[in-house]
Amino acid sequence: MTKTMKGLLWSLALGLSAPLMALEIGQPLPYLTLDDQHGDAHSVGHELSVMLFTRDKAGSDVASGALAGIEQSRLEQAGIVYVADTSVMPALITRMFALPKMKKQSFLTLMDSQGSATATLPFEDGKVSVLGFEGGALTQVSHLDDAKQLKQVLGL
């Protein structure tokens, strides 16, 4: 193996092992295409105003509590999207319990089943990340652990 080739491989290995940088205020949201709980693909782009993001059951329970009974059309009008990183949930649990429950919801949950699409999104354990966007760029981040407070913040 040549010296140049070794250097290239070393650089590639370092790049792959480096942690992804968290999305920060002022940065654009990466273009996302995720499936919802019904298996339909949705693209999330620059028209987004607010993204609710969860990465664990406690945060998901808060989001679900705040959005319970809210129709998807109302969320769309407000530019609100709910995204959940479901990659940590065992596939069997997702299929047997989570998806059937989610399919009964009046709102869509976009799911990142691999965890890679949402890896840079800010989060705190046990909370819903409320990410505000303008013109596709992140403008504010807050983390809430109360469904009533989240519903109030969203104006729902």
Side-chain angles (χ1 to χ4, degrees), residues 16-154:
L16 291 175
S17 66
L20 294 173
M21 299 299 292
L23 187 66
E24 295 180 0
I25 300 293
Q27 292 181 324
L29 175 69
Y31 188 77
L32 301 174
T33 299
L34 300 168
D35 288 344
D36 66 23
Q37 69 266 40
H38 306 287
D40 298 324
H42 297 268
S43 296
V44 179
H46 294 280
E47 72 287 348
L48 180 68
S49 294
V50 176
M51 178 187 288
L52 305 179
F53 175 64
T54 59
R55 188 165 272 154
D56 57 26
K57 183 168 179 357
S60 176
D61 288 345
V62 173
S64 295
L67 299 177
I70 305 296
E71 292 299 321
Q72 181 61 29
S73 59
R74 187 166 175 201
L75 296 176
E76 288 172 6
Q77 289 172 347
I80 300 171
V81 173
Y82 174 34
V83 176
D85 176 353
T86 59
S87 65
V88 297
M89 189 183 311
L92 182 64
I93 300 298
T94 301
R95 252 190 333 273
M96 292 186 68
F97 300 104
L99 280 177
K101 181 179 176 183
M102 292 167 70
K103 286 180 180 180
K104 295 177 185 175
Q105 298 170 335
S106 58
F107 56 90
L108 294 179
T109 301
L110 306 186
M111 300 180 300
D112 180 6
S113 60
Q114 302 300 314
S116 56
T118 58
T120 62
L121 296 180
F123 78 99
E124 287 184 14
D125 289 336
K127 298 181 180 182
V128 176
S129 296
V130 182
L131 311 175
F133 294 90
E134 285 183 26
L138 183 64
T139 57
Q140 64 182 47
V141 176
S142 59
H143 305 281
L144 302 174
D145 61 2
D146 180 82
K148 287 181 183 177
Q149 184 183 19
L150 176 58
K151 193 170 190 167
Q152 184 176 23
V153 164
L154 296 174

